[in-house]
Amino acid sequence: MLEPVSHLARLSVSLPAELLAQLDEMVAERGLPSRSQMIAELIRHELAGHREEIVGAIVAGTITLIYRAESGRVRQALAQTQSAYVKEIISSQHVFLEGDQSLEVLLVQGPSERLQQLCDEIRRIRGVQQVKLVTTTALLPPLHEAGEPGAPEGRAAS
C-alpha cells in the first residue's frame, strides 16, 4: 500500500556501482515500478527484524514449519507445544506435502521473546525439519475488547 505523497520524505543514498546494479536487477526481476519501493520493502524487513531483538516488543507475523509426519507423534507433540502458546497463536493452516511431509503456517502475535521461545520449542520436536519466524512491525487489531459481549472469558485484548 503506497502512502499519500504528503507523507513521503526524500532520502539521498550513495552506493557502490555494483550494489546499485544488483538493486536495479532485483527491481526489474520483481517488476517493481521504482527503486524506492524496493528500498522501502528492504527497510521494513530490517526494522521488523530489529524489533524482534527488543525485549518486550510486541510483534505479529508467521511461523512456517515443515515436518515429517511419519506417525501421529509429531503432530501430537506440535499440538501439545502450541497449546502452551494459545495467547500468541491466532490461527494455523496445515497442508500435506509429498511423501510424509507436512507444511504448517502459524499466524502469531505477542512478545518477540515469547515467539522466539515457541520457535525453539518447535525445533526441539523430533521430525521438525524447518522453522522460520517472519515478523512485521504492524500489529493485528484487538479481536475483542475486555468486557465486550462475546469476548472469550479471561482473554482480554492485548
PDB file of all heavy atoms in Angstrom, residues 35-69:
ATOM      1  N   ARG A  35      12.988   1.947  -7.645  1.00  0.00           N
ATOM      2  CA  ARG A  35      13.949   1.555  -6.610  1.00  0.00           C
ATOM      3  C   ARG A  35      13.380   1.867  -5.227  1.00  0.00           C
ATOM      4  O   ARG A  35      13.588   1.121  -4.272  1.00  0.00           O
ATOM      5  CB  ARG A  35      15.248   2.343  -6.763  1.00  0.00           C
ATOM      6  CG  ARG A  35      16.056   2.017  -7.970  1.00  0.00           C
ATOM      7  CD  ARG A  35      17.237   2.983  -8.033  1.00  0.00           C
ATOM      8  NE  ARG A  35      18.041   2.748  -9.214  1.00  0.00           N
ATOM      9  CZ  ARG A  35      18.807   3.660  -9.770  1.00  0.00           C
ATOM     10  NH1 ARG A  35      18.877   4.878  -9.251  1.00  0.00           N
ATOM     11  NH2 ARG A  35      19.512   3.366 -10.839  1.00  0.00           N
ATOM     12  N   SER A  36      12.690   2.988  -5.132  1.00  0.00           N
ATOM     13  CA  SER A  36      12.168   3.426  -3.835  1.00  0.00           C
ATOM     14  C   SER A  36      11.278   2.364  -3.199  1.00  0.00           C
ATOM     15  O   SER A  36      11.354   2.128  -1.992  1.00  0.00           O
ATOM     16  CB  SER A  36      11.383   4.732  -3.986  1.00  0.00           C
ATOM     17  OG  SER A  36      12.241   5.773  -4.359  1.00  0.00           O
ATOM     18  N   GLN A  37      10.453   1.742  -4.008  1.00  0.00           N
ATOM     19  CA  GLN A  37       9.563   0.718  -3.471  1.00  0.00           C
ATOM     20  C   GLN A  37      10.368  -0.467  -2.936  1.00  0.00           C
ATOM     21  O   GLN A  37      10.073  -1.002  -1.874  1.00  0.00           O
ATOM     22  CB  GLN A  37       8.582   0.264  -4.545  1.00  0.00           C
ATOM     23  CG  GLN A  37       7.413  -0.506  -3.987  1.00  0.00           C
ATOM     24  CD  GLN A  37       6.311  -0.703  -5.012  1.00  0.00           C
ATOM     25  OE1 GLN A  37       6.285  -0.087  -6.064  1.00  0.00           O
ATOM     26  NE2 GLN A  37       5.396  -1.591  -4.696  1.00  0.00           N
ATOM     27  N   MET A  38      11.408  -0.872  -3.641  1.00  0.00           N
ATOM     28  CA  MET A  38      12.244  -1.988  -3.209  1.00  0.00           C
ATOM     29  C   MET A  38      13.008  -1.619  -1.945  1.00  0.00           C
ATOM     30  O   MET A  38      13.074  -2.410  -1.003  1.00  0.00           O
ATOM     31  CB  MET A  38      13.221  -2.357  -4.329  1.00  0.00           C
ATOM     32  CG  MET A  38      14.079  -3.577  -4.048  1.00  0.00           C
ATOM     33  SD  MET A  38      13.155  -5.119  -4.253  1.00  0.00           S
ATOM     34  CE  MET A  38      12.959  -5.637  -2.574  1.00  0.00           C
ATOM     35  N   ILE A  39      13.564  -0.423  -1.909  1.00  0.00           N
ATOM     36  CA  ILE A  39      14.321   0.013  -0.733  1.00  0.00           C
ATOM     37  C   ILE A  39      13.415   0.109   0.486  1.00  0.00           C
ATOM     38  O   ILE A  39      13.791  -0.301   1.588  1.00  0.00           O
ATOM     39  CB  ILE A  39      15.048   1.347  -1.019  1.00  0.00           C
ATOM     40  CG1 ILE A  39      16.170   1.097  -2.039  1.00  0.00           C
ATOM     41  CG2 ILE A  39      15.586   1.971   0.260  1.00  0.00           C
ATOM     42  CD1 ILE A  39      16.799   2.353  -2.594  1.00  0.00           C
ATOM     43  N   ALA A  40      12.188   0.607   0.312  1.00  0.00           N
ATOM     44  CA  ALA A  40      11.239   0.682   1.430  1.00  0.00           C
ATOM     45  C   ALA A  40      10.926  -0.718   1.967  1.00  0.00           C
ATOM     46  O   ALA A  40      10.857  -0.920   3.187  1.00  0.00           O
ATOM     47  CB  ALA A  40       9.960   1.391   0.988  1.00  0.00           C
ATOM     48  N   GLU A  41      10.757  -1.693   1.066  1.00  0.00           N
ATOM     49  CA  GLU A  41      10.485  -3.074   1.499  1.00  0.00           C
ATOM     50  C   GLU A  41      11.670  -3.631   2.283  1.00  0.00           C
ATOM     51  O   GLU A  41      11.496  -4.262   3.326  1.00  0.00           O
ATOM     52  CB  GLU A  41      10.202  -3.959   0.286  1.00  0.00           C
ATOM     53  CG  GLU A  41       9.906  -5.396   0.659  1.00  0.00           C
ATOM     54  CD  GLU A  41       9.652  -6.291  -0.544  1.00  0.00           C
ATOM     55  OE1 GLU A  41       9.193  -5.788  -1.590  1.00  0.00           O
ATOM     56  OE2 GLU A  41       9.921  -7.495  -0.438  1.00  0.00           O
ATOM     57  N   LEU A  42      12.874  -3.397   1.797  1.00  0.00           N
ATOM     58  CA  LEU A  42      14.070  -3.877   2.493  1.00  0.00           C
ATOM     59  C   LEU A  42      14.203  -3.235   3.871  1.00  0.00           C
ATOM     60  O   LEU A  42      14.556  -3.906   4.850  1.00  0.00           O
ATOM     61  CB  LEU A  42      15.316  -3.594   1.642  1.00  0.00           C
ATOM     62  CG  LEU A  42      15.407  -4.374   0.326  1.00  0.00           C
ATOM     63  CD1 LEU A  42      16.544  -3.837  -0.537  1.00  0.00           C
ATOM     64  CD2 LEU A  42      15.570  -5.855   0.580  1.00  0.00           C
ATOM     65  N   ILE A  43      13.911  -1.949   3.965  1.00  0.00           N
ATOM     66  CA  ILE A  43      13.980  -1.263   5.260  1.00  0.00           C
ATOM     67  C   ILE A  43      12.924  -1.819   6.219  1.00  0.00           C
ATOM     68  O   ILE A  43      13.206  -2.062   7.399  1.00  0.00           O
ATOM     69  CB  ILE A  43      13.839   0.265   5.078  1.00  0.00           C
ATOM     70  CG1 ILE A  43      15.086   0.816   4.384  1.00  0.00           C
ATOM     71  CG2 ILE A  43      13.595   0.960   6.421  1.00  0.00           C
ATOM     72  CD1 ILE A  43      14.973   2.278   3.953  1.00  0.00           C
ATOM     73  N   ARG A  44      11.695  -2.019   5.726  1.00  0.00           N
ATOM     74  CA  ARG A  44      10.645  -2.595   6.586  1.00  0.00           C
ATOM     75  C   ARG A  44      11.066  -3.956   7.131  1.00  0.00           C
ATOM     76  O   ARG A  44      10.840  -4.272   8.306  1.00  0.00           O
ATOM     77  CB  ARG A  44       9.336  -2.732   5.810  1.00  0.00           C
ATOM     78  CG  ARG A  44       8.568  -1.450   5.683  1.00  0.00           C
ATOM     79  CD  ARG A  44       7.191  -1.692   5.040  1.00  0.00           C
ATOM     80  NE  ARG A  44       6.714  -0.458   4.479  1.00  0.00           N
ATOM     81  CZ  ARG A  44       6.809  -0.106   3.199  1.00  0.00           C
ATOM     82  NH1 ARG A  44       7.347  -0.937   2.317  1.00  0.00           N
ATOM     83  NH2 ARG A  44       6.367   1.050   2.786  1.00  0.00           N
ATOM     84  N   HIS A  45      11.671  -4.772   6.267  1.00  0.00           N
ATOM     85  CA  HIS A  45      12.130  -6.105   6.677  1.00  0.00           C
ATOM     86  C   HIS A  45      13.173  -5.988   7.790  1.00  0.00           C
ATOM     87  O   HIS A  45      13.101  -6.693   8.804  1.00  0.00           O
ATOM     88  CB  HIS A  45      12.702  -6.856   5.466  1.00  0.00           C
ATOM     89  CG  HIS A  45      13.260  -8.189   5.812  1.00  0.00           C
ATOM     90  ND1 HIS A  45      12.466  -9.275   6.103  1.00  0.00           N
ATOM     91  CD2 HIS A  45      14.533  -8.617   5.926  1.00  0.00           C
ATOM     92  CE1 HIS A  45      13.225 -10.306   6.388  1.00  0.00           C
ATOM     93  NE2 HIS A  45      14.485  -9.940   6.282  1.00  0.00           N
ATOM     94  N   GLU A  46      14.124  -5.098   7.625  1.00  0.00           N
ATOM     95  CA  GLU A  46      15.167  -4.925   8.631  1.00  0.00           C
ATOM     96  C   GLU A  46      14.607  -4.353   9.931  1.00  0.00           C
ATOM     97  O   GLU A  46      15.033  -4.739  11.016  1.00  0.00           O
ATOM     98  CB  GLU A  46      16.303  -4.047   8.098  1.00  0.00           C
ATOM     99  CG  GLU A  46      17.197  -4.771   7.125  1.00  0.00           C
ATOM    100  CD  GLU A  46      17.839  -6.016   7.719  1.00  0.00           C
ATOM    101  OE1 GLU A  46      18.437  -5.938   8.827  1.00  0.00           O
ATOM    102  OE2 GLU A  46      17.731  -7.083   7.089  1.00  0.00           O
ATOM    103  N   LEU A  47      13.662  -3.425   9.835  1.00  0.00           N
ATOM    104  CA  LEU A  47      13.044  -2.866  11.040  1.00  0.00           C
ATOM    105  C   LEU A  47      12.280  -3.932  11.815  1.00  0.00           C
ATOM    106  O   LEU A  47      12.326  -3.976  13.052  1.00  0.00           O
ATOM    107  CB  LEU A  47      12.117  -1.703  10.687  1.00  0.00           C
ATOM    108  CG  LEU A  47      12.812  -0.413  10.248  1.00  0.00           C
ATOM    109  CD1 LEU A  47      11.781   0.597   9.747  1.00  0.00           C
ATOM    110  CD2 LEU A  47      13.648   0.173  11.374  1.00  0.00           C
ATOM    111  N   ALA A  48      11.582  -4.806  11.099  1.00  0.00           N
ATOM    112  CA  ALA A  48      10.859  -5.899  11.762  1.00  0.00           C
ATOM    113  C   ALA A  48      11.850  -6.833  12.452  1.00  0.00           C
ATOM    114  O   ALA A  48      11.627  -7.255  13.590  1.00  0.00           O
ATOM    115  CB  ALA A  48      10.006  -6.664  10.754  1.00  0.00           C
ATOM    116  N   GLY A  49      12.958  -7.150  11.782  1.00  0.00           N
ATOM    117  CA  GLY A  49      13.985  -7.998  12.386  1.00  0.00           C
ATOM    118  C   GLY A  49      14.600  -7.345  13.611  1.00  0.00           C
ATOM    119  O   GLY A  49      14.852  -8.002  14.625  1.00  0.00           O
ATOM    120  N   HIS A  50      14.824  -6.054  13.538  1.00  0.00           N
ATOM    121  CA  HIS A  50      15.374  -5.319  14.676  1.00  0.00           C
ATOM    122  C   HIS A  50      14.388  -5.339  15.846  1.00  0.00           C
ATOM    123  O   HIS A  50      14.773  -5.523  16.999  1.00  0.00           O
ATOM    124  CB  HIS A  50      15.692  -3.877  14.271  1.00  0.00           C
ATOM    125  CG  HIS A  50      16.137  -3.019  15.406  1.00  0.00           C
ATOM    126  ND1 HIS A  50      17.348  -3.186  16.028  1.00  0.00           N
ATOM    127  CD2 HIS A  50      15.514  -2.007  16.047  1.00  0.00           C
ATOM    128  CE1 HIS A  50      17.460  -2.296  17.009  1.00  0.00           C
ATOM    129  NE2 HIS A  50      16.355  -1.575  17.034  1.00  0.00           N
ATOM    130  N   ARG A  51      13.118  -5.162  15.548  1.00  0.00           N
ATOM    131  CA  ARG A  51      12.087  -5.150  16.596  1.00  0.00           C
ATOM    132  C   ARG A  51      12.022  -6.503  17.312  1.00  0.00           C
ATOM    133  O   ARG A  51      11.758  -6.558  18.512  1.00  0.00           O
ATOM    134  CB  ARG A  51      10.742  -4.773  16.003  1.00  0.00           C
ATOM    135  CG  ARG A  51       9.669  -4.525  17.038  1.00  0.00           C
ATOM    136  CD  ARG A  51       8.575  -3.638  16.470  1.00  0.00           C
ATOM    137  NE  ARG A  51       7.469  -3.554  17.384  1.00  0.00           N
ATOM    138  CZ  ARG A  51       7.380  -2.675  18.377  1.00  0.00           C
ATOM    139  NH1 ARG A  51       8.338  -1.811  18.564  1.00  0.00           N
ATOM    140  NH2 ARG A  51       6.329  -2.658  19.167  1.00  0.00           N
ATOM    141  N   GLU A  52      12.277  -7.599  16.563  1.00  0.00           N
ATOM    142  CA  GLU A  52      12.293  -8.935  17.174  1.00  0.00           C
ATOM    143  C   GLU A  52      13.330  -9.018  18.287  1.00  0.00           C
ATOM    144  O   GLU A  52      13.179  -9.799  19.217  1.00  0.00           O
ATOM    145  CB  GLU A  52      12.664  -9.999  16.134  1.00  0.00           C
ATOM    146  CG  GLU A  52      11.570 -10.395  15.209  1.00  0.00           C
ATOM    147  CD  GLU A  52      12.046 -11.437  14.209  1.00  0.00           C
ATOM    148  OE1 GLU A  52      12.885 -12.293  14.563  1.00  0.00           O
ATOM    149  OE2 GLU A  52      11.573 -11.396  13.068  1.00  0.00           O
ATOM    150  N   GLU A  53      14.401  -8.252  18.168  1.00  0.00           N
ATOM    151  CA  GLU A  53      15.503  -8.307  19.123  1.00  0.00           C
ATOM    152  C   GLU A  53      15.245  -7.485  20.381  1.00  0.00           C
ATOM    153  O   GLU A  53      15.958  -7.621  21.360  1.00  0.00           O
ATOM    154  CB  GLU A  53      16.788  -7.815  18.450  1.00  0.00           C
ATOM    155  CG  GLU A  53      17.199  -8.671  17.267  1.00  0.00           C
ATOM    156  CD  GLU A  53      18.296  -8.035  16.431  1.00  0.00           C
ATOM    157  OE1 GLU A  53      18.798  -6.955  16.807  1.00  0.00           O
ATOM    158  OE2 GLU A  53      18.642  -8.621  15.397  1.00  0.00           O
ATOM    159  N   ILE A  54      14.233  -6.628  20.363  1.00  0.00           N
ATOM    160  CA  ILE A  54      13.943  -5.759  21.504  1.00  0.00           C
ATOM    161  C   ILE A  54      13.086  -6.528  22.509  1.00  0.00           C
ATOM    162  O   ILE A  54      11.990  -6.986  22.186  1.00  0.00           O
ATOM    163  CB  ILE A  54      13.213  -4.474  21.046  1.00  0.00           C
ATOM    164  CG1 ILE A  54      14.100  -3.683  20.079  1.00  0.00           C
ATOM    165  CG2 ILE A  54      12.819  -3.629  22.252  1.00  0.00           C
ATOM    166  CD1 ILE A  54      13.394  -2.511  19.428  1.00  0.00           C
ATOM    167  N   VAL A  55      13.605  -6.693  23.713  1.00  0.00           N
ATOM    168  CA  VAL A  55      12.885  -7.429  24.754  1.00  0.00           C
ATOM    169  C   VAL A  55      11.576  -6.724  25.058  1.00  0.00           C
ATOM    170  O   VAL A  55      11.539  -5.513  25.257  1.00  0.00           O
ATOM    171  CB  VAL A  55      13.755  -7.556  26.025  1.00  0.00           C
ATOM    172  CG1 VAL A  55      12.964  -8.201  27.161  1.00  0.00           C
ATOM    173  CG2 VAL A  55      15.013  -8.347  25.737  1.00  0.00           C
ATOM    174  N   GLY A  56      10.492  -7.496  25.045  1.00  0.00           N
ATOM    175  CA  GLY A  56       9.175  -6.959  25.362  1.00  0.00           C
ATOM    176  C   GLY A  56       8.440  -6.372  24.177  1.00  0.00           C
ATOM    177  O   GLY A  56       7.270  -6.016  24.304  1.00  0.00           O
ATOM    178  N   ALA A  57       9.087  -6.267  23.020  1.00  0.00           N
ATOM    179  CA  ALA A  57       8.416  -5.711  21.844  1.00  0.00           C
ATOM    180  C   ALA A  57       7.322  -6.675  21.387  1.00  0.00           C
ATOM    181  O   ALA A  57       7.539  -7.884  21.311  1.00  0.00           O
ATOM    182  CB  ALA A  57       9.420  -5.489  20.715  1.00  0.00           C
ATOM    183  N   ILE A  58       6.158  -6.146  21.112  1.00  0.00           N
ATOM    184  CA  ILE A  58       5.054  -6.952  20.594  1.00  0.00           C
ATOM    185  C   ILE A  58       5.152  -6.939  19.074  1.00  0.00           C
ATOM    186  O   ILE A  58       5.215  -5.874  18.464  1.00  0.00           O
ATOM    187  CB  ILE A  58       3.681  -6.396  21.037  1.00  0.00           C
ATOM    188  CG1 ILE A  58       3.607  -6.293  22.570  1.00  0.00           C
ATOM    189  CG2 ILE A  58       2.547  -7.256  20.488  1.00  0.00           C
ATOM    190  CD1 ILE A  58       3.716  -7.607  23.308  1.00  0.00           C
ATOM    191  N   VAL A  59       5.173  -8.130  18.479  1.00  0.00           N
ATOM    192  CA  VAL A  59       5.273  -8.260  17.029  1.00  0.00           C
ATOM    193  C   VAL A  59       4.199  -9.228  16.535  1.00  0.00           C
ATOM    194  O   VAL A  59       3.688 -10.050  17.285  1.00  0.00           O
ATOM    195  CB  VAL A  59       6.670  -8.737  16.575  1.00  0.00           C
ATOM    196  CG1 VAL A  59       7.742  -7.712  16.914  1.00  0.00           C
ATOM    197  CG2 VAL A  59       7.021 -10.081  17.184  1.00  0.00           C
ATOM    198  N   ALA A  60       3.872  -9.108  15.262  1.00  0.00           N
ATOM    199  CA  ALA A  60       2.951 -10.038  14.607  1.00  0.00           C
ATOM    200  C   ALA A  60       3.706 -10.667  13.452  1.00  0.00           C
ATOM    201  O   ALA A  60       4.668 -10.093  12.931  1.00  0.00           O
ATOM    202  CB  ALA A  60       1.717  -9.293  14.088  1.00  0.00           C
ATOM    203  N   GLY A  61       3.269 -11.836  13.044  1.00  0.00           N
ATOM    204  CA  GLY A  61       3.928 -12.475  11.913  1.00  0.00           C
ATOM    205  C   GLY A  61       3.467 -13.895  11.719  1.00  0.00           C
ATOM    206  O   GLY A  61       2.361 -14.278  12.134  1.00  0.00           O
ATOM    207  N   THR A  62       4.340 -14.663  11.078  1.00  0.00           N
ATOM    208  CA  THR A  62       4.053 -16.071  10.816  1.00  0.00           C
ATOM    209  C   THR A  62       5.223 -16.930  11.256  1.00  0.00           C
ATOM    210  O   THR A  62       6.373 -16.492  11.231  1.00  0.00           O
ATOM    211  CB  THR A  62       3.807 -16.338   9.309  1.00  0.00           C
ATOM    212  OG1 THR A  62       4.979 -15.976   8.573  1.00  0.00           O
ATOM    213  CG2 THR A  62       2.599 -15.582   8.802  1.00  0.00           C
ATOM    214  N   ILE A  63       4.895 -18.135  11.653  1.00  0.00           N
ATOM    215  CA  ILE A  63       5.900 -19.170  11.880  1.00  0.00           C
ATOM    216  C   ILE A  63       5.574 -20.261  10.868  1.00  0.00           C
ATOM    217  O   ILE A  63       4.463 -20.791  10.855  1.00  0.00           O
ATOM    218  CB  ILE A  63       5.865 -19.734  13.308  1.00  0.00           C
ATOM    219  CG1 ILE A  63       6.188 -18.639  14.323  1.00  0.00           C
ATOM    220  CG2 ILE A  63       6.836 -20.917  13.437  1.00  0.00           C
ATOM    221  CD1 ILE A  63       6.027 -19.069  15.777  1.00  0.00           C
ATOM    222  N   THR A  64       6.530 -20.533  10.002  1.00  0.00           N
ATOM    223  CA  THR A  64       6.350 -21.577   8.997  1.00  0.00           C
ATOM    224  C   THR A  64       7.197 -22.768   9.403  1.00  0.00           C
ATOM    225  O   THR A  64       8.380 -22.601   9.716  1.00  0.00           O
ATOM    226  CB  THR A  64       6.776 -21.069   7.603  1.00  0.00           C
ATOM    227  OG1 THR A  64       6.008 -19.901   7.295  1.00  0.00           O
ATOM    228  CG2 THR A  64       6.550 -22.118   6.540  1.00  0.00           C
ATOM    229  N   LEU A  65       6.595 -23.948   9.401  1.00  0.00           N
ATOM    230  CA  LEU A  65       7.352 -25.140   9.754  1.00  0.00           C
ATOM    231  C   LEU A  65       7.068 -26.274   8.779  1.00  0.00           C
ATOM    232  O   LEU A  65       5.967 -26.388   8.239  1.00  0.00           O
ATOM    233  CB  LEU A  65       7.084 -25.577  11.191  1.00  0.00           C
ATOM    234  CG  LEU A  65       5.666 -25.770  11.654  1.00  0.00           C
ATOM    235  CD1 LEU A  65       5.572 -27.007  12.514  1.00  0.00           C
ATOM    236  CD2 LEU A  65       5.267 -24.559  12.472  1.00  0.00           C
ATOM    237  N   ILE A  66       8.095 -27.055   8.548  1.00  0.00           N
ATOM    238  CA  ILE A  66       7.990 -28.252   7.717  1.00  0.00           C
ATOM    239  C   ILE A  66       8.438 -29.415   8.582  1.00  0.00           C
ATOM    240  O   ILE A  66       9.457 -29.327   9.278  1.00  0.00           O
ATOM    241  CB  ILE A  66       8.853 -28.128   6.450  1.00  0.00           C
ATOM    242  CG1 ILE A  66       8.329 -26.972   5.592  1.00  0.00           C
ATOM    243  CG2 ILE A  66       8.864 -29.449   5.668  1.00  0.00           C
ATOM    244  CD1 ILE A  66       9.153 -26.656   4.387  1.00  0.00           C
ATOM    245  N   TYR A  67       7.655 -30.486   8.545  1.00  0.00           N
ATOM    246  CA  TYR A  67       7.998 -31.632   9.374  1.00  0.00           C
ATOM    247  C   TYR A  67       7.568 -32.932   8.699  1.00  0.00           C
ATOM    248  O   TYR A  67       6.739 -32.939   7.799  1.00  0.00           O
ATOM    249  CB  TYR A  67       7.364 -31.511  10.765  1.00  0.00           C
ATOM    250  CG  TYR A  67       5.860 -31.381  10.787  1.00  0.00           C
ATOM    251  CD1 TYR A  67       5.044 -32.501  10.891  1.00  0.00           C
ATOM    252  CD2 TYR A  67       5.263 -30.130  10.729  1.00  0.00           C
ATOM    253  CE1 TYR A  67       3.659 -32.378  10.927  1.00  0.00           C
ATOM    254  CE2 TYR A  67       3.884 -29.988  10.761  1.00  0.00           C
ATOM    255  CZ  TYR A  67       3.089 -31.117  10.862  1.00  0.00           C
ATOM    256  OH  TYR A  67       1.725 -30.989  10.887  1.00  0.00           O
ATOM    257  N   ARG A  68       8.173 -33.997   9.156  1.00  0.00           N
ATOM    258  CA  ARG A  68       7.819 -35.342   8.696  1.00  0.00           C
ATOM    259  C   ARG A  68       6.734 -35.863   9.632  1.00  0.00           C
ATOM    260  O   ARG A  68       6.902 -35.877  10.836  1.00  0.00           O
ATOM    261  CB  ARG A  68       9.023 -36.270   8.729  1.00  0.00           C
ATOM    262  CG  ARG A  68      10.067 -35.927   7.707  1.00  0.00           C
ATOM    263  CD  ARG A  68      10.774 -37.184   7.218  1.00  0.00           C
ATOM    264  NE  ARG A  68      11.649 -36.858   6.113  1.00  0.00           N
ATOM    265  CZ  ARG A  68      11.262 -36.838   4.838  1.00  0.00           C
ATOM    266  NH1 ARG A  68      10.035 -37.147   4.523  1.00  0.00           N
ATOM    267  NH2 ARG A  68      12.103 -36.544   3.876  1.00  0.00           N
ATOM    268  N   ALA A  69       5.659 -36.298   9.033  1.00  0.00           N
ATOM    269  CA  ALA A  69       4.521 -36.772   9.837  1.00  0.00           C
ATOM    270  C   ALA A  69       4.424 -38.286   9.760  1.00  0.00           C
ATOM    271  O   ALA A  69       3.358 -38.842   9.567  1.00  0.00           O
ATOM    272  CB  ALA A  69       3.237 -36.115   9.339  1.00  0.00           C
TER     273      ALA A  69
END
